[in-house]
Structure formats: C-alpha cells, structure tokens
Amino acid sequence: MAVTDEAIEKIKGMIVSGALRPGDRLPKESELAAELGLSRNSLREAVRALSLIRILDVRQGDGTYVTSLDPQLLLEALSFVVDFHRDDTVLEFLAVRRILEPAATAMAASRISEGELDVLSAQLDALGPLPSVEELVATDLEFHRGIVQSSGNSVLCSLLDGLSGPTTRARVWRGLTQEDAVSRTLHEHRAILSALRDRDAEAARSWATVHIASVEQWLRSTL
C-alpha cells in the first residue's frame, strides 16, 4: 500500500501543480511510470484508486484523463461513504445539516429568482394539506435542494445533497409517529418560502434552523 500511496501522491502533485489540468490526457503508462520513478503496477493501482473517487477517468481504448474536478463530481465519493452510516450517527448528520443548510438558505435569499420561488411554491401547492408522509419527505428533499442550489455555492450544494440520505429514514419515521409532524413541516416550508420572497436572509436562516432542529429534537427524544 505504501508504494501505491506514493504513486497516488505523485499523480496528485501533478494535478495540484497544474502539470495536469482538468480534461488532460495522462501520458502513456510506460512513459508516466518512468517519469515518476514508479513501477507500472503501482501506477496502475494508483490510477484505479483515483478513478474510484472521480479524480481520473479511465476510458477503455482511449486512455486516462483528468476529470473536470467539478465539486459535485468529486463529492460523489462522500455520498458513497455516507451510505455506510450507522443509525446511531443520524443525529450527527442532522447536526451538520443544522450548521450548513441555514447558511445556504440565507445565501439564497439574495440570489433566488422569482421563477425559482414560483417553482418551490408550486411544489408545496401540489402536496395539498394532507400529503402522505412519503410524498412529503420526497418533496422536502426537492424543496431544500432547490433552495441550496440557488445559494450559488456548488460545494455547499454537493455536501448537503450527500448528507441528506441518512436523515431521510428519520424524517419518514417522524412523519409516521409524531402527530403534528406533517402540518408542522408544511408550515415551516411556507415560512421559509415567505422569508425568501421577502429577501430576508436572517428570517430564512432562522426558519431553516427551526425546521431541521425540530427533526433533531424529536429524534433525540425517541432514541
């Protein structure tokens, strides 16, 4: 593993220094191995590892390329790792969401367009006053994703997208067992939307915090 780690670090160094840029094709395996002072086998293992985390793109019959290095692409690895969470870590994921999502919602207040606000409003209208828990949770995910995308920060958007999975089951569980969970969620969504329409960043931040904290508080009381 130490030899493979060295190979990974050397390829990483070429990308960080700018010797290899997004979209560039890597030199032939034999040439790159000689240039970096590596065995072809250790180079091959390094390329395989870097392709798994979307740094490199191995195209059969064409060669190996540096990916776009777009944050959303690179953070796909986070989503993969997050899928292995244990149930007892859900509160920790919610705590991270409570830190990041209100900030993203506040950022969106000055950036989100009227058209985007209308789309969010239409999503809530389509639910009606008595949606099923599954419908509500699915719309909840889309609602918050739409807001975070409007924050203008692709890294923040990708992070929150990757963190949303572990909390989905908790939100469904809450909807099924807490008497007023559905009505509270709908009310909080409307309040967030109203604050965004008013371009009130602090109100949007506060309502997003309340929204996530209510799920966190309920889950903490049931564990």
Side-chain angles (χ1 to χ4, degrees):
M1 280 303 298
V3 177
T4 302
D5 289 345
E6 180 189 0
I8 289 171
E9 284 299 316
K10 287 187 175 182
I11 297 173
K12 174 185 170 184
M14 293 181 72
I15 295 171
V16 171
S17 69
L20 285 172
R21 298 181 179 278
D24 281 356
R25 187 175 187 270
L26 269 64
K28 290 181 179 179
E29 185 182 271
S30 56
E31 295 173 5
L32 185 59
E35 179 183 343
L36 297 178
L38 300 167
S39 70
R40 294 178 66 172
N41 191 52
S42 61
L43 176 61
R44 201 172 295 130
E45 290 298 320
V47 167
R48 184 178 291 114
L50 291 170
S51 68
L52 287 173
I53 57 172
R54 304 293 193 267
I55 302 294
L56 298 178
D57 178 19
V58 180
R59 305 176 190 173
Q60 293 299 325
D62 186 17
T64 300
Y65 292 79
V66 180
T67 67
S68 65
L69 302 180
D70 181 80
Q72 188 168 2
L73 182 68
L74 298 182
L75 287 169
E76 282 182 8
L78 171 66
S79 298
F80 180 79
V81 173
V82 163
D83 284 340
F84 290 95
H85 78 282
R86 302 187 314 272
D87 285 348
D88 59 356
T89 63
V90 171
L91 277 170
E92 295 179 12
F93 283 105
L94 280 168
V96 174
R97 276 193 66 204
R98 181 163 45 82
I99 294 167
L100 298 179
E101 196 159 304
T105 305
M107 290 166 63
S110 62
R111 296 172 175 266
I112 194 166
S113 70
E114 289 298 324
E116 289 168 328
L117 287 167
D118 289 342
V119 169
L120 294 176
S121 183
Q123 287 176 351
L124 298 183
D125 290 342
L127 275 177
L130 295 170
S132 70
V133 172
E134 291 76 13
E135 288 172 334
L136 180 63
V137 170
T139 299
D140 182 81
L141 290 170
E142 288 303 314
F143 181 80
H144 292 292
R145 183 180 288 119
I147 293 171
V148 173
Q149 285 175 342
S150 298
S151 72
N153 189 312
S154 60
V155 174
L156 193 52
C157 186
S158 297
L159 275 172
L160 284 166
D161 213 30
L163 291 170
S164 65
T167 63
T168 299
R169 184 163 53 177
R171 280 177 282 179
V172 171
W173 184 18
R174 179 195 181 209
L176 292 171
T177 59
Q178 189 178 32
E179 184 178 345
D180 63 344
V182 172
S183 60
R184 283 181 61 178
T185 298
L186 291 172
H187 171 69
E188 290 160 2
H189 280 179
R190 291 290 183 188
I192 292 169
L193 186 58
S194 178
L196 291 173
R197 282 202 185 277
D198 291 341
R199 307 297 173 182
D200 189 334
E202 287 312 307
R205 184 197 306 273
S206 296
W207 275 111
T209 302
V210 167
H211 182 56
I212 298 167
S214 64
V215 180
E216 189 179 357
Q217 183 179 36
W218 167 83
L219 184 60
R220 194 179 301 278
S221 70
T222 62
L223 292 178

